[in-house]
Amino acid sequence: MSTDQQKDERPSANNEAESMTHTGAMALVKKELTDIIKSDPLLCDLPPEITLDEINSQVALEYGQAMVVNVIRADNQVMGVVVTQNATVLDLKHAIKRHFLLHQSRIGGTTVLSWRYIWKRHWLYYDGQRLSENNDKLKEYGIRNKDEVTFVKRLRER
């Protein structure tokens, strides 16, 4: 049998895979990933454009290695931010930044923020306490899973 005859006898699926473009392959993978996420009870509430960090955070939550801190913005919008159990205030700030940037990329926003400016002009408060020391652990302030932290604009100090 010649090699031409062997090529013709290959299944059509291989021919389709060879002729699939990169964009088509990415669309197929995205669709399959979305189906997997929707069918899994642990991952079903995650967006289809999920990142590896978000998957790791969900797994850590499931095993009790992480907690959700609900950050309440000035417009009363609540952001559920995932941090490890032994996270510091700085870790929470990084998680807020990561959450905001992911949200912006998913809605197609291109807002560029100076996070240094944001943290100079705003405080995080929990139960009347200002979270001022970046190296303090959240547990030292009494913050537990699903507690609410408020994002408040600083008043000018004179």
Side-chain angles (χ1 to χ4, degrees), residues 8-145:
D8 292 339
E9 291 178 9
R10 282 187 279 177
S12 62
N14 285 342
N15 290 337
E16 288 176 20
E18 287 177 3
S19 65
M20 185 178 292
T21 65
H22 175 73
T23 306
M26 291 301 293
L28 179 65
V29 168
K30 187 174 183 178
K31 179 193 172 300
E32 291 298 322
L33 185 60
T34 300
D35 292 345
I36 290 169
I37 289 171
K38 286 182 180 180
S39 66
D40 188 298
L42 177 62
L43 303 174
C44 65
D45 58 342
L46 294 175
E49 308 86 28
I50 192 166
T51 65
L52 182 59
D53 281 343
E54 289 174 304
I55 291 174
N56 289 336
S57 294
Q58 282 300 116
V59 171
L61 277 172
E62 187 67 22
Y63 286 109
Q65 299 166 345
M67 63 181 170
V68 175
V69 177
N70 293 316
V71 179
I72 303 172
R73 295 179 5 179
D75 59 358
N76 289 328
Q77 189 176 26
V78 178
M79 298 185 299
V81 179
V82 178
V83 293
T84 60
Q85 289 288 348
N86 61 349
T88 63
V89 173
L90 185 61
D91 295 333
L92 177 60
K93 288 179 178 182
H94 287 304
I96 291 169
K97 176 182 174 183
R98 195 169 43 251
H99 183 278
F100 182 79
L101 293 175
L102 271 171
H103 176 71
Q104 284 298 103
S105 70
R106 286 188 177 131
I107 62 171
T110 58
T111 304
V112 177
L113 293 176
S114 167
W115 286 94
R116 182 178 293 195
Y117 178 83
I118 294 290
W119 297 123
K120 280 184 179 179
R121 301 291 185 249
H122 294 82
W123 288 114
L124 292 172
Y125 273 87
Y126 171 73
D127 198 27
Q129 302 174 70
R130 184 175 73 200
L131 309 181
S132 57
E133 293 298 320
N134 284 338
N135 295 326
D136 286 351
K137 296 202 180 286
L138 297 178
K139 286 184 178 181
E140 293 174 20
Y141 290 101
I143 298 173
R144 304 280 182 244
N145 191 28

